Amino acid sequence: MHRNRVGDTDTARFEDASQSNVRRQSVKSHIEELAIFGGTPIFPCKLHVGRPNIGDRRALLERINDILDRRWLTNDGPYLQAFEKHICELIGVKHCVAVCNATVGLEILAKAVGLSGEVIVPSFTFAATAHAFRWLGITPVFCDIDRATHNIDPKKAGELITARTSGIVGVHLWGRPCDIDALSDLARRHGLTLLFDAAHAFGCSHKGRLVGGFGDAEIFSFHATKFINTFEGGAIVTNKDELAAKLRLMRNFGFTGLDTVACLGTNGKMNEVCAAMGLNSVASMDSFIEINRQHYDQYRQQMEFLPGISIALYDESEKNNYQYIVLEIDKETAGLSRDDLEKILWAENVLARRYFYPGCHRMEPYRTEQPSASTQLPNTQCLAERIICLPTGSAVTSNDVASICTLVRFIVRNADAVQERLAMSGISGIL
Ligand code: T4K
């Protein structure tokens, strides 16, 4: 038994990949030492983006034992109620309806607010944002993003409004809130529903107010890969009483009594073990954020002044969860492309992710259904080719971060030689 990471009180019995990740060779002195060319990978085990935070394992197991003793495993149980109450208090929002995952939550929400026809969404997001609506027969109309914030551009959203538009969905990408004021104004002027996919933004603020109470409703994801997790799960939050009541009904097949069903519904319930994990996660929230912030600061400092490499910054005047380390690579200045960097990192067991490549509009069914969408999405297309996310969270140590930074610095400083060698090996440009 050991304490594995600063601030993480998990006492894991089994060593996972990252916990046993003793670096073999933290500094490369020649490009032939890169694992992609046959050298030894810096990390013997894979370093993932999205390795879950566990928190206090003992407290979690106690909660699970209590759930088993009570024999109340799901259906609005005491842990679920406690979790929802806790979120309301933490965020300062009237209602929280916890769900089995954010995707199903978005579907329930879309039904509950009566969306139909077309909904304006960014393409630069996880597939779930678009799929949830398309699943219900609603057409996601893809809007371009702002080049600097990576979030939906309200001006361009305005240009996409038609007679068929019923709503706008902003995504607080990487936890950085959208231009909420401009979107609210736009939605109000056109009488549209405004929702926020806040999957990344739990614990983040906009103008000092925590994300959760904006628009008609917002939705969080508590998937295992999010810094606060419930294994699988999510939560719809809103200040609207009637909407919250409807969401609760729809989450549970529309049941109002033992054998009375008041409306169309589905099974979107969060079970007790997931809710217990949620309470556990939230109890460690400050330490998770602190770990993320330290990693973010370290990545920034140790990659500063690297030509062609920049890190997406969080607004320090706001609350942030710092859960994504987002690197942008300008191929012309850095001397190599994002995709080549990704291949080199993967060979070293740094499983960096190309979120959110290639953009929803280039995924099916949208690619076939909306073949000309790309012409309207220059910023999305540009960023989708340049962004890569790096490992962070409680499964990563500052030594890991230091090694990754040293590696990236080495690659960029030797970009010309690396590029030439990749081309010689026939690796460059191959996905
Ligand atoms: N809206 C937005 C903007 C979203 O980003 C998401 C989800 C949603 C809506 C929908 O929320 P949910 O319905 O999922 O609640 C991951 C997550 O699965 C997904 O939830 C998340 N966004 C997205 C950004 O990332 P993938 O397909 O990239 O990766 P995945 O789940 O295979 O995991 C990534 C890495 O994490 C793996 O390589 C290994 C590691 N991992 C993963 C799990 C699940 C672990 O070490 N342990 C684990 O238990 O989607």
Side-chain angles (χ1 to χ4, degrees), residues 48-52 101-103 106 125-126 128-129 171 197 199-200 221-226 232-233 324 353 355-356:
H48 295 273
V49 171
R51 205 90 171 119
N101 61 60
T103 310
L106 268 173
T125 178
F126 192 58
T129 316
V171 179
D197 177 340
H200 303 175
S221 169
F222 300 128
H223 180 260
T225 53
K226 301 293 182 295
E232 285 273 3
Y324 288 98
R353 295 296 301 268
Y355 291 140
F356 286 101

PDB file of all heavy atoms in Angstrom, residues 48-52 101-103 106 125-126 128-129 171 197 199-200 221-226 232-233 324 353 355-356, ligand 1:
ATOM      1  N   HIS A  48      -1.806   7.932 -20.240  1.00  0.00           N
ATOM      2  CA  HIS A  48      -3.043   8.298 -20.943  1.00  0.00           C
ATOM      3  C   HIS A  48      -3.470   9.732 -20.663  1.00  0.00           C
ATOM      4  O   HIS A  48      -3.195  10.261 -19.591  1.00  0.00           O
ATOM      5  CB  HIS A  48      -4.197   7.400 -20.482  1.00  0.00           C
ATOM      6  CG  HIS A  48      -4.024   5.967 -20.826  1.00  0.00           C
ATOM      7  ND1 HIS A  48      -4.426   5.444 -22.035  1.00  0.00           N
ATOM      8  CD2 HIS A  48      -3.497   4.928 -20.130  1.00  0.00           C
ATOM      9  CE1 HIS A  48      -4.157   4.149 -22.061  1.00  0.00           C
ATOM     10  NE2 HIS A  48      -3.591   3.809 -20.914  1.00  0.00           N
ATOM     11  N   VAL A  49      -4.218  10.276 -21.614  1.00  0.00           N
ATOM     12  CA  VAL A  49      -4.999  11.488 -21.337  1.00  0.00           C
ATOM     13  C   VAL A  49      -6.346  10.964 -20.847  1.00  0.00           C
ATOM     14  O   VAL A  49      -6.981  10.178 -21.537  1.00  0.00           O
ATOM     15  CB  VAL A  49      -5.208  12.315 -22.626  1.00  0.00           C
ATOM     16  CG1 VAL A  49      -6.189  13.459 -22.393  1.00  0.00           C
ATOM     17  CG2 VAL A  49      -3.878  12.834 -23.138  1.00  0.00           C
ATOM     18  N   GLY A  50      -6.757  11.351 -19.664  1.00  0.00           N
ATOM     19  CA  GLY A  50      -8.071  10.908 -19.190  1.00  0.00           C
ATOM     20  C   GLY A  50      -8.015   9.783 -18.180  1.00  0.00           C
ATOM     21  O   GLY A  50      -9.016   9.129 -17.926  1.00  0.00           O
ATOM     22  N   ARG A  51      -6.817   9.541 -17.601  1.00  0.00           N
ATOM     23  CA  ARG A  51      -6.720   8.551 -16.526  1.00  0.00           C
ATOM     24  C   ARG A  51      -7.543   9.071 -15.346  1.00  0.00           C
ATOM     25  O   ARG A  51      -7.329  10.211 -14.892  1.00  0.00           O
ATOM     26  CB  ARG A  51      -5.246   8.423 -16.126  1.00  0.00           C
ATOM     27  CG  ARG A  51      -4.918   7.115 -15.519  1.00  0.00           C
ATOM     28  CD  ARG A  51      -4.499   6.160 -16.617  1.00  0.00           C
ATOM     29  NE  ARG A  51      -3.982   4.937 -16.044  1.00  0.00           N
ATOM     30  CZ  ARG A  51      -4.552   3.765 -16.276  1.00  0.00           C
ATOM     31  NH1 ARG A  51      -5.612   3.672 -17.040  1.00  0.00           N
ATOM     32  NH2 ARG A  51      -4.030   2.675 -15.768  1.00  0.00           N
ATOM     33  N   PRO A  52      -8.485   8.274 -14.829  1.00  0.00           N
ATOM     34  CA  PRO A  52      -9.397   8.827 -13.813  1.00  0.00           C
ATOM     35  C   PRO A  52      -8.717   9.211 -12.494  1.00  0.00           C
ATOM     36  O   PRO A  52      -7.756   8.574 -12.067  1.00  0.00           O
ATOM     37  CB  PRO A  52     -10.372   7.672 -13.561  1.00  0.00           C
ATOM     38  CG  PRO A  52     -10.246   6.778 -14.731  1.00  0.00           C
ATOM     39  CD  PRO A  52      -8.842   6.916 -15.239  1.00  0.00           C
ATOM     40  N   ASN A 101     -25.402   9.419 -18.026  1.00  0.00           N
ATOM     41  CA  ASN A 101     -24.251  10.015 -18.723  1.00  0.00           C
ATOM     42  C   ASN A 101     -24.714  11.317 -19.369  1.00  0.00           C
ATOM     43  O   ASN A 101     -25.918  11.559 -19.498  1.00  0.00           O
ATOM     44  CB  ASN A 101     -23.611   9.057 -19.748  1.00  0.00           C
ATOM     45  CG  ASN A 101     -24.567   8.643 -20.845  1.00  0.00           C
ATOM     46  OD1 ASN A 101     -25.082   9.474 -21.581  1.00  0.00           O
ATOM     47  ND2 ASN A 101     -24.839   7.345 -20.936  1.00  0.00           N
ATOM     48  N   ALA A 102     -23.777  12.136 -19.795  1.00  0.00           N
ATOM     49  CA  ALA A 102     -24.158  13.454 -20.326  1.00  0.00           C
ATOM     50  C   ALA A 102     -24.845  13.343 -21.684  1.00  0.00           C
ATOM     51  O   ALA A 102     -25.679  14.191 -22.025  1.00  0.00           O
ATOM     52  CB  ALA A 102     -22.924  14.339 -20.434  1.00  0.00           C
ATOM     53  N   THR A 103     -24.527  12.313 -22.451  1.00  0.00           N
ATOM     54  CA  THR A 103     -25.139  12.179 -23.780  1.00  0.00           C
ATOM     55  C   THR A 103     -26.640  11.931 -23.644  1.00  0.00           C
ATOM     56  O   THR A 103     -27.454  12.620 -24.277  1.00  0.00           O
ATOM     57  CB  THR A 103     -24.465  11.025 -24.556  1.00  0.00           C
ATOM     58  OG1 THR A 103     -23.053  11.212 -24.494  1.00  0.00           O
ATOM     59  CG2 THR A 103     -24.911  10.987 -25.997  1.00  0.00           C
ATOM     60  N   LEU A 106     -28.287  15.039 -22.448  1.00  0.00           N
ATOM     61  CA  LEU A 106     -28.568  16.020 -23.513  1.00  0.00           C
ATOM     62  C   LEU A 106     -29.830  15.642 -24.277  1.00  0.00           C
ATOM     63  O   LEU A 106     -30.630  16.515 -24.655  1.00  0.00           O
ATOM     64  CB  LEU A 106     -27.387  16.069 -24.496  1.00  0.00           C
ATOM     65  CG  LEU A 106     -26.277  17.090 -24.246  1.00  0.00           C
ATOM     66  CD1 LEU A 106     -25.121  16.877 -25.204  1.00  0.00           C
ATOM     67  CD2 LEU A 106     -26.818  18.528 -24.385  1.00  0.00           C
ATOM     68  N   THR A 125     -16.102  19.856 -31.118  1.00  0.00           N
ATOM     69  CA  THR A 125     -16.541  19.319 -29.834  1.00  0.00           C
ATOM     70  C   THR A 125     -16.556  17.799 -29.947  1.00  0.00           C
ATOM     71  O   THR A 125     -16.346  17.235 -31.024  1.00  0.00           O
ATOM     72  CB  THR A 125     -17.947  19.864 -29.467  1.00  0.00           C
ATOM     73  OG1 THR A 125     -18.370  19.282 -28.230  1.00  0.00           O
ATOM     74  CG2 THR A 125     -18.986  19.545 -30.526  1.00  0.00           C
ATOM     75  N   PHE A 126     -16.817  17.140 -28.844  1.00  0.00           N
ATOM     76  CA  PHE A 126     -16.939  15.680 -28.852  1.00  0.00           C
ATOM     77  C   PHE A 126     -18.210  15.305 -29.626  1.00  0.00           C
ATOM     78  O   PHE A 126     -19.203  16.050 -29.604  1.00  0.00           O
ATOM     79  CB  PHE A 126     -17.034  15.187 -27.407  1.00  0.00           C
ATOM     80  CG  PHE A 126     -16.880  13.700 -27.237  1.00  0.00           C
ATOM     81  CD1 PHE A 126     -15.746  13.042 -27.673  1.00  0.00           C
ATOM     82  CD2 PHE A 126     -17.883  12.958 -26.617  1.00  0.00           C
ATOM     83  CE1 PHE A 126     -15.609  11.670 -27.500  1.00  0.00           C
ATOM     84  CE2 PHE A 126     -17.749  11.584 -26.445  1.00  0.00           C
ATOM     85  CZ  PHE A 126     -16.603  10.945 -26.882  1.00  0.00           C
ATOM     86  N   ALA A 128     -20.616  13.513 -29.114  1.00  0.00           N
ATOM     87  CA  ALA A 128     -21.864  13.435 -28.346  1.00  0.00           C
ATOM     88  C   ALA A 128     -22.714  14.692 -28.457  1.00  0.00           C
ATOM     89  O   ALA A 128     -23.948  14.607 -28.459  1.00  0.00           O
ATOM     90  CB  ALA A 128     -21.544  13.179 -26.868  1.00  0.00           C
ATOM     91  N   THR A 129     -22.071  15.863 -28.556  1.00  0.00           N
ATOM     92  CA  THR A 129     -22.841  17.115 -28.596  1.00  0.00           C
ATOM     93  C   THR A 129     -23.783  17.110 -29.803  1.00  0.00           C
ATOM     94  O   THR A 129     -24.956  17.455 -29.685  1.00  0.00           O
ATOM     95  CB  THR A 129     -21.906  18.346 -28.675  1.00  0.00           C
ATOM     96  OG1 THR A 129     -20.837  18.191 -27.757  1.00  0.00           O
ATOM     97  CG2 THR A 129     -22.654  19.630 -28.393  1.00  0.00           C
ATOM     98  N   VAL A 171     -20.779  25.125 -26.202  1.00  0.00           N
ATOM     99  CA  VAL A 171     -19.965  24.139 -25.467  1.00  0.00           C
ATOM    100  C   VAL A 171     -18.843  24.913 -24.777  1.00  0.00           C
ATOM    101  O   VAL A 171     -18.119  25.661 -25.445  1.00  0.00           O
ATOM    102  CB  VAL A 171     -19.358  23.087 -26.431  1.00  0.00           C
ATOM    103  CG1 VAL A 171     -18.498  22.089 -25.660  1.00  0.00           C
ATOM    104  CG2 VAL A 171     -20.449  22.375 -27.216  1.00  0.00           C
ATOM    105  N   ASP A 197     -23.521  22.869 -23.205  1.00  0.00           N
ATOM    106  CA  ASP A 197     -22.847  21.603 -22.941  1.00  0.00           C
ATOM    107  C   ASP A 197     -21.632  21.962 -22.090  1.00  0.00           C
ATOM    108  O   ASP A 197     -20.617  22.452 -22.600  1.00  0.00           O
ATOM    109  CB  ASP A 197     -22.451  20.955 -24.275  1.00  0.00           C
ATOM    110  CG  ASP A 197     -21.672  19.658 -24.086  1.00  0.00           C
ATOM    111  OD1 ASP A 197     -21.109  19.453 -22.990  1.00  0.00           O
ATOM    112  OD2 ASP A 197     -21.600  18.867 -25.046  1.00  0.00           O
ATOM    113  N   ALA A 199     -19.885  19.888 -20.293  1.00  0.00           N
ATOM    114  CA  ALA A 199     -19.235  18.611 -19.967  1.00  0.00           C
ATOM    115  C   ALA A 199     -17.850  18.815 -19.345  1.00  0.00           C
ATOM    116  O   ALA A 199     -17.442  18.058 -18.475  1.00  0.00           O
ATOM    117  CB  ALA A 199     -19.132  17.744 -21.222  1.00  0.00           C
ATOM    118  N   HIS A 200     -17.132  19.871 -19.809  1.00  0.00           N
ATOM    119  CA  HIS A 200     -15.757  20.083 -19.336  1.00  0.00           C
ATOM    120  C   HIS A 200     -15.666  21.102 -18.202  1.00  0.00           C
ATOM    121  O   HIS A 200     -14.571  21.337 -17.699  1.00  0.00           O
ATOM    122  CB  HIS A 200     -14.879  20.636 -20.470  1.00  0.00           C
ATOM    123  CG  HIS A 200     -14.830  19.773 -21.693  1.00  0.00           C
ATOM    124  ND1 HIS A 200     -14.183  20.142 -22.851  1.00  0.00           N
ATOM    125  CD2 HIS A 200     -15.315  18.546 -21.939  1.00  0.00           C
ATOM    126  CE1 HIS A 200     -14.301  19.200 -23.759  1.00  0.00           C
ATOM    127  NE2 HIS A 200     -14.989  18.211 -23.242  1.00  0.00           N
ATOM    128  N   SER A 221     -20.658  16.522 -17.612  1.00  0.00           N
ATOM    129  CA  SER A 221     -20.324  15.093 -17.741  1.00  0.00           C
ATOM    130  C   SER A 221     -19.458  14.693 -16.555  1.00  0.00           C
ATOM    131  O   SER A 221     -18.535  15.418 -16.180  1.00  0.00           O
ATOM    132  CB  SER A 221     -19.542  14.819 -19.035  1.00  0.00           C
ATOM    133  OG  SER A 221     -19.028  13.492 -18.997  1.00  0.00           O
ATOM    134  N   PHE A 222     -19.784  13.527 -15.992  1.00  0.00           N
ATOM    135  CA  PHE A 222     -18.940  12.956 -14.933  1.00  0.00           C
ATOM    136  C   PHE A 222     -18.393  11.615 -15.393  1.00  0.00           C
ATOM    137  O   PHE A 222     -18.292  10.676 -14.614  1.00  0.00           O
ATOM    138  CB  PHE A 222     -19.743  12.814 -13.636  1.00  0.00           C
ATOM    139  CG  PHE A 222     -20.284  14.114 -13.100  1.00  0.00           C
ATOM    140  CD1 PHE A 222     -21.628  14.251 -12.789  1.00  0.00           C
ATOM    141  CD2 PHE A 222     -19.449  15.213 -12.902  1.00  0.00           C
ATOM    142  CE1 PHE A 222     -22.137  15.443 -12.289  1.00  0.00           C
ATOM    143  CE2 PHE A 222     -19.947  16.424 -12.405  1.00  0.00           C
ATOM    144  CZ  PHE A 222     -21.298  16.536 -12.106  1.00  0.00           C
ATOM    145  N   HIS A 223     -18.087  11.540 -16.693  1.00  0.00           N
ATOM    146  CA  HIS A 223     -17.463  10.321 -17.215  1.00  0.00           C
ATOM    147  C   HIS A 223     -16.118  10.096 -16.517  1.00  0.00           C
ATOM    148  O   HIS A 223     -15.491  11.052 -16.038  1.00  0.00           O
ATOM    149  CB  HIS A 223     -17.252  10.476 -18.733  1.00  0.00           C
ATOM    150  CG  HIS A 223     -16.623   9.283 -19.367  1.00  0.00           C
ATOM    151  ND1 HIS A 223     -15.276   9.228 -19.676  1.00  0.00           N
ATOM    152  CD2 HIS A 223     -17.148   8.081 -19.721  1.00  0.00           C
ATOM    153  CE1 HIS A 223     -15.013   8.041 -20.208  1.00  0.00           C
ATOM    154  NE2 HIS A 223     -16.123   7.336 -20.252  1.00  0.00           N
ATOM    155  N   ALA A 224     -15.689   8.843 -16.509  1.00  0.00           N
ATOM    156  CA  ALA A 224     -14.443   8.468 -15.827  1.00  0.00           C
ATOM    157  C   ALA A 224     -13.269   9.383 -16.169  1.00  0.00           C
ATOM    158  O   ALA A 224     -12.388   9.609 -15.337  1.00  0.00           O
ATOM    159  CB  ALA A 224     -14.105   7.025 -16.188  1.00  0.00           C
ATOM    160  N   THR A 225     -13.257   9.905 -17.379  1.00  0.00           N
ATOM    161  CA  THR A 225     -12.111  10.709 -17.824  1.00  0.00           C
ATOM    162  C   THR A 225     -12.205  12.168 -17.380  1.00  0.00           C
ATOM    163  O   THR A 225     -11.257  12.925 -17.591  1.00  0.00           O
ATOM    164  CB  THR A 225     -12.011  10.679 -19.360  1.00  0.00           C
ATOM    165  OG1 THR A 225     -13.296  11.061 -19.895  1.00  0.00           O
ATOM    166  CG2 THR A 225     -11.661   9.291 -19.867  1.00  0.00           C
ATOM    167  N   LYS A 226     -13.326  12.555 -16.784  1.00  0.00           N
ATOM    168  CA  LYS A 226     -13.464  13.942 -16.317  1.00  0.00           C
ATOM    169  C   LYS A 226     -12.862  14.068 -14.918  1.00  0.00           C
ATOM    170  O   LYS A 226     -12.828  13.099 -14.162  1.00  0.00           O
ATOM    171  CB  LYS A 226     -14.944  14.348 -16.281  1.00  0.00           C
ATOM    172  CG  LYS A 226     -15.625  14.243 -17.632  1.00  0.00           C
ATOM    173  CD  LYS A 226     -15.074  15.256 -18.607  1.00  0.00           C
ATOM    174  CE  LYS A 226     -15.748  15.222 -19.956  1.00  0.00           C
ATOM    175  NZ  LYS A 226     -15.557  13.984 -20.712  1.00  0.00           N
ATOM    176  N   GLU A 232     -19.505   6.495 -14.859  1.00  0.00           N
ATOM    177  CA  GLU A 232     -20.270   7.085 -15.963  1.00  0.00           C
ATOM    178  C   GLU A 232     -21.272   8.006 -15.295  1.00  0.00           C
ATOM    179  O   GLU A 232     -21.783   7.687 -14.216  1.00  0.00           O
ATOM    180  CB  GLU A 232     -21.054   6.018 -16.740  1.00  0.00           C
ATOM    181  CG  GLU A 232     -20.236   5.134 -17.652  1.00  0.00           C
ATOM    182  CD  GLU A 232     -20.029   5.714 -19.052  1.00  0.00           C
ATOM    183  OE1 GLU A 232     -20.482   6.839 -19.317  1.00  0.00           O
ATOM    184  OE2 GLU A 232     -19.397   5.027 -19.858  1.00  0.00           O
ATOM    185  N   GLY A 233     -21.605   9.115 -15.920  1.00  0.00           N
ATOM    186  CA  GLY A 233     -22.636   9.955 -15.332  1.00  0.00           C
ATOM    187  C   GLY A 233     -22.608  11.368 -15.847  1.00  0.00           C
ATOM    188  O   GLY A 233     -21.699  11.771 -16.593  1.00  0.00           O
ATOM    189  N   TYR A 324      -7.727  20.169 -18.885  1.00  0.00           N
ATOM    190  CA  TYR A 324      -7.151  19.857 -20.205  1.00  0.00           C
ATOM    191  C   TYR A 324      -5.885  20.671 -20.440  1.00  0.00           C
ATOM    192  O   TYR A 324      -5.872  21.885 -20.237  1.00  0.00           O
ATOM    193  CB  TYR A 324      -8.159  20.155 -21.328  1.00  0.00           C
ATOM    194  CG  TYR A 324      -9.302  19.160 -21.361  1.00  0.00           C
ATOM    195  CD1 TYR A 324     -10.526  19.460 -20.778  1.00  0.00           C
ATOM    196  CD2 TYR A 324      -9.142  17.911 -21.959  1.00  0.00           C
ATOM    197  CE1 TYR A 324     -11.569  18.540 -20.789  1.00  0.00           C
ATOM    198  CE2 TYR A 324     -10.171  16.984 -21.971  1.00  0.00           C
ATOM    199  CZ  TYR A 324     -11.383  17.299 -21.388  1.00  0.00           C
ATOM    200  OH  TYR A 324     -12.405  16.385 -21.398  1.00  0.00           O
ATOM    201  N   ARG A 353      -3.789  13.129 -27.183  1.00  0.00           N
ATOM    202  CA  ARG A 353      -5.016  12.956 -27.974  1.00  0.00           C
ATOM    203  C   ARG A 353      -5.312  14.165 -28.857  1.00  0.00           C
ATOM    204  O   ARG A 353      -5.144  15.305 -28.424  1.00  0.00           O
ATOM    205  CB  ARG A 353      -6.207  12.728 -27.022  1.00  0.00           C
ATOM    206  CG  ARG A 353      -6.129  11.443 -26.231  1.00  0.00           C
ATOM    207  CD  ARG A 353      -6.192  10.211 -27.112  1.00  0.00           C
ATOM    208  NE  ARG A 353      -7.394  10.161 -27.895  1.00  0.00           N
ATOM    209  CZ  ARG A 353      -8.521   9.544 -27.517  1.00  0.00           C
ATOM    210  NH1 ARG A 353      -8.561   8.899 -26.379  1.00  0.00           N
ATOM    211  NH2 ARG A 353      -9.580   9.548 -28.291  1.00  0.00           N
ATOM    212  N   TYR A 355      -7.913  15.781 -29.613  1.00  0.00           N
ATOM    213  CA  TYR A 355      -9.281  16.305 -29.415  1.00  0.00           C
ATOM    214  C   TYR A 355      -9.400  17.626 -30.155  1.00  0.00           C
ATOM    215  O   TYR A 355      -8.504  18.455 -30.057  1.00  0.00           O
ATOM    216  CB  TYR A 355      -9.573  16.518 -27.940  1.00  0.00           C
ATOM    217  CG  TYR A 355      -9.696  15.256 -27.142  1.00  0.00           C
ATOM    218  CD1 TYR A 355      -9.149  15.176 -25.870  1.00  0.00           C
ATOM    219  CD2 TYR A 355     -10.355  14.129 -27.640  1.00  0.00           C
ATOM    220  CE1 TYR A 355      -9.266  14.010 -25.111  1.00  0.00           C
ATOM    221  CE2 TYR A 355     -10.478  12.969 -26.887  1.00  0.00           C
ATOM    222  CZ  TYR A 355      -9.933  12.917 -25.630  1.00  0.00           C
ATOM    223  OH  TYR A 355     -10.047  11.773 -24.883  1.00  0.00           O
ATOM    224  N   PHE A 356     -10.449  17.944 -30.906  1.00  0.00           N
ATOM    225  CA  PHE A 356     -11.564  17.126 -31.296  1.00  0.00           C
ATOM    226  C   PHE A 356     -11.520  16.947 -32.802  1.00  0.00           C
ATOM    227  O   PHE A 356     -12.410  17.384 -33.513  1.00  0.00           O
ATOM    228  CB  PHE A 356     -12.881  17.753 -30.821  1.00  0.00           C
ATOM    229  CG  PHE A 356     -13.050  17.575 -29.334  1.00  0.00           C
ATOM    230  CD1 PHE A 356     -12.787  18.603 -28.457  1.00  0.00           C
ATOM    231  CD2 PHE A 356     -13.423  16.332 -28.814  1.00  0.00           C
ATOM    232  CE1 PHE A 356     -12.922  18.415 -27.092  1.00  0.00           C
ATOM    233  CE2 PHE A 356     -13.566  16.149 -27.442  1.00  0.00           C
ATOM    234  CZ  PHE A 356     -13.310  17.178 -26.585  1.00  0.00           C
TER     235      PHE A 356
HETATM  236  N1  T4K B   1     -19.950  16.859 -24.540  1.00  0.00           N
HETATM  237  C1  T4K B   1     -18.619  17.017 -24.542  1.00  0.00           C
HETATM  238  C2  T4K B   1     -18.029  18.333 -24.905  1.00  0.00           C
HETATM  239  C3  T4K B   1     -17.794  15.946 -24.179  1.00  0.00           C
HETATM  240  O1  T4K B   1     -16.442  16.086 -24.189  1.00  0.00           O
HETATM  241  C4  T4K B   1     -18.384  14.715 -23.814  1.00  0.00           C
HETATM  242  C5  T4K B   1     -17.554  13.585 -23.447  1.00  0.00           C
HETATM  243  C6  T4K B   1     -19.794  14.610 -23.814  1.00  0.00           C
HETATM  244  C7  T4K B   1     -20.541  15.720 -24.197  1.00  0.00           C
HETATM  245  C8  T4K B   1     -20.502  13.345 -23.446  1.00  0.00           C
HETATM  246  O2  T4K B   1     -20.306  13.003 -22.090  1.00  0.00           O
HETATM  247  P1  T4K B   1     -20.584  11.492 -21.595  1.00  0.00           P
HETATM  248  O3  T4K B   1     -21.810  10.986 -22.291  1.00  0.00           O
HETATM  249  O4  T4K B   1     -19.359  10.666 -21.944  1.00  0.00           O
HETATM  250  O5  T4K B   1     -20.801  11.651 -20.099  1.00  0.00           O
HETATM  251  C9  T4K B   1     -13.518  10.541 -23.766  1.00  0.00           C
HETATM  252  C10 T4K B   1     -14.734  10.313 -22.888  1.00  0.00           C
HETATM  253  O6  T4K B   1     -15.240   8.997 -23.055  1.00  0.00           O
HETATM  254  C11 T4K B   1     -15.835  11.283 -23.120  1.00  0.00           C
HETATM  255  O7  T4K B   1     -16.703  11.207 -22.015  1.00  0.00           O
HETATM  256  C12 T4K B   1     -15.285  12.704 -23.231  1.00  0.00           C
HETATM  257  N2  T4K B   1     -16.283  13.667 -23.540  1.00  0.00           N
HETATM  258  C13 T4K B   1     -14.190  12.768 -24.263  1.00  0.00           C
HETATM  259  C14 T4K B   1     -13.580  14.126 -24.334  1.00  0.00           C
HETATM  260  O8  T4K B   1     -13.164  11.875 -23.919  1.00  0.00           O
HETATM  261  P2  T4K B   1     -12.520   9.109 -25.729  1.00  0.00           P
HETATM  262  O9  T4K B   1     -13.220   8.236 -26.681  1.00  0.00           O
HETATM  263  O10 T4K B   1     -11.594  10.073 -26.269  1.00  0.00           O
HETATM  264  O11 T4K B   1     -11.690   8.328 -24.679  1.00  0.00           O
HETATM  265  P3  T4K B   1     -11.913   7.120 -23.692  1.00  0.00           P
HETATM  266  O12 T4K B   1     -13.220   7.209 -22.999  1.00  0.00           O
HETATM  267  O13 T4K B   1     -11.629   5.898 -24.407  1.00  0.00           O
HETATM  268  O14 T4K B   1     -10.773   7.383 -22.615  1.00  0.00           O
HETATM  269  C15 T4K B   1      -9.566   8.118 -22.873  1.00  0.00           C
HETATM  270  C16 T4K B   1      -8.389   7.496 -22.185  1.00  0.00           C
HETATM  271  O15 T4K B   1      -8.592   7.504 -20.794  1.00  0.00           O
HETATM  272  C17 T4K B   1      -8.170   6.050 -22.581  1.00  0.00           C
HETATM  273  O16 T4K B   1      -7.201   5.987 -23.561  1.00  0.00           O
HETATM  274  C18 T4K B   1      -7.676   5.379 -21.316  1.00  0.00           C
HETATM  275  C19 T4K B   1      -8.059   6.327 -20.212  1.00  0.00           C
HETATM  276  N3  T4K B   1      -9.074   5.714 -19.361  1.00  0.00           N
HETATM  277  C20 T4K B   1     -10.382   5.727 -19.757  1.00  0.00           C
HETATM  278  C21 T4K B   1     -11.332   5.150 -18.957  1.00  0.00           C
HETATM  279  C22 T4K B   1     -12.783   5.160 -19.399  1.00  0.00           C
HETATM  280  C23 T4K B   1      -8.682   5.112 -18.187  1.00  0.00           C
HETATM  281  O17 T4K B   1      -7.493   5.083 -17.874  1.00  0.00           O
HETATM  282  N4  T4K B   1      -9.631   4.546 -17.389  1.00  0.00           N
HETATM  283  C24 T4K B   1     -10.955   4.548 -17.720  1.00  0.00           C
HETATM  284  O18 T4K B   1     -11.789   4.052 -16.953  1.00  0.00           O
HETATM  285  O19 T4K B   1     -13.711   9.881 -24.969  1.00  0.00           O
END
